[in-house]
């Protein structure tokens, strides 16, 4: 967990430096590594590198200390067309940047938007349903060779993992069934594993 904080701090510092230098387009190289790496390790980009998630986590820590509660994810946001609309809008903006040469601070805008929404809504509103980067990463992350998964022989079905997941990646269909982690949505933040009272959640290659 401490190592992840170090990577988050370094990545955030690099991001801020690129913004100051007007070289934000270079950040796409980090994102590309995250997209390709997700085939093997899952969405490590989200929890270890993404400046949006790092900023949202700062808000989370402050709110937890102050005991501030936020609104649930709106029902309309859970429609699949919302995610794809955000993705199309993002791709269209990138195309405009390439064809016109305009330097639109896309990532900075997304950071501001993500943090702003996290002030009022639970993080899953952004992470799972709105973030275009997350939608792209879900495609490769869903095919990850390694991911967090629940060992059913140790699970006591307390569902604490679902309560702490910032991306609604822990699926609980029925309280009588074992929860499952959607690896295409999982941010690899390890909050579920740290919360599990029986250490039933581990990272690795799941045997079928």
């Amino acid at each position: 967990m401490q190592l992840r904080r170090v990577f988050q701090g370094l990545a955030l510092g690099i991001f801020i430096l690129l913004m100051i230098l007007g070289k934000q387009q270079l950040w796409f190289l980090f994102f590309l590594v995250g997209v390709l790496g997700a085939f093997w390790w899952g969405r490590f980009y989200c929890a270890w590198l993404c400046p949006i998630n790092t900023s949202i986590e700062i808000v989370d820590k402050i709110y937890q200390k102050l005991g501030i509660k936020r609104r649930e994810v709106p029902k309309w946001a859970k429609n699949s067309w919302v995610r794809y609309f955000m993705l199309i809008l993002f791709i269209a903006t990138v195309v405009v940047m390439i064809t016109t040469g305009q330097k639109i601070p896309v990532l900075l805008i997304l950071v501001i938007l993500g943090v702003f929404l996290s002030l009022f809504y639970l993080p899953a509103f952004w992470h799972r349903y709105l973030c275009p980067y997350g939608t792209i990463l879900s495609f490769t992350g869903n095919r990850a060779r390694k991911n967090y998964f629940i060992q059913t022989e140790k699970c006591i079905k307390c569902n604490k993992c679902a309560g702490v997941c910032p991306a609604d990646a822990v699926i609980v269909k029925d309280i009588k069934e074992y929860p499952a982690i959607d690896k295409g949505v999982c941010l690899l933040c390890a909050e579920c594993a740290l919360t599990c009272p029986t250490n039933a959640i581990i990272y690795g290659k799941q045997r079928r």
Side-chain angles (χ1 to χ4, degrees):
M1 193 67 174
Q2 189 62 36
L3 181 61
R4 184 170 81 88
R5 297 303 183 197
V6 172
F7 271 87
Q8 283 183 303
L10 289 173
L12 184 59
I14 293 173
F15 167 73
I16 293 174
L17 180 61
L18 291 176
M19 291 297 105
I20 294 174
L21 297 176
K23 302 290 184 180
Q24 66 147 349
Q25 65 273 15
L26 294 179
W27 186 264
F28 283 101
L29 295 176
F30 286 88
F31 179 63
L32 180 60
V33 170
V35 172
L36 296 177
F39 278 117
W40 287 271
W41 305 294
R43 292 174 53 172
F44 68 91
Y45 171 86
C46 296
W48 292 68
L49 302 176
C50 181
I52 308 175
N53 179 58
T54 300
S55 301
I56 290 177
E57 285 190 4
I58 293 173
V59 174
D60 289 343
K61 295 301 180 183
I62 294 174
Y63 273 35
Q64 287 174 12
K65 289 184 178 181
L66 297 177
I68 300 175
K69 294 184 178 181
R70 286 167 286 186
R71 301 174 184 175
E72 297 289 335
V73 177
K75 291 183 178 180
W76 59 264
K78 297 182 179 182
N79 293 307
S80 59
W81 66 264
V82 175
R83 295 175 62 213
Y84 294 115
F85 171 77
M86 291 292 291
L87 178 59
I88 292 171
L89 183 61
F90 170 74
I91 293 174
T93 303
V94 173
V95 170
V96 170
M97 289 173 57
I98 295 174
T99 56
T100 65
Q102 295 183 19
K103 293 184 178 181
I104 303 173
V106 179
L107 186 53
L108 181 59
I109 292 172
L110 291 178
V111 170
I112 294 173
L113 179 60
V115 172
F116 177 76
L117 290 175
S118 72
L119 295 175
F120 306 99
Y121 294 92
L122 293 175
F125 185 28
W126 176 260
H127 290 313
R128 177 161 187 167
Y129 303 104
L130 296 180
C131 181
Y133 286 97
T135 300
I136 294 173
L137 285 163
S138 68
F139 296 132
T140 53
N142 196 45
R143 294 165 178 75
R145 294 184 180 181
K146 291 185 177 182
N147 59 283
Y148 277 101
F149 64 92
I150 299 171
Q151 302 173 94
T152 55
E153 65 273 16
K154 293 183 178 181
C155 180
I156 58 174
K157 303 178 184 178
C158 65
N159 295 326
K160 290 183 178 180
C161 51
V164 298
C165 180
D168 282 352
V170 180
I171 303 170
V172 181
K173 294 182 178 180
D174 190 292
I175 58 174
K176 296 181 180 180
E177 297 181 9
Y178 291 107
I181 299 175
D182 186 339
K183 62 182 181 180
V185 179
C186 176
L187 307 181
L188 296 189
C189 65
E191 290 296 332
C192 58
L194 294 171
T195 302
C196 182
T198 60
N199 297 317
I201 303 175
I202 61 173
Y203 175 79
K205 191 173 182 179
Q206 187 174 7
R207 296 180 180 180
R208 300 296 180 182

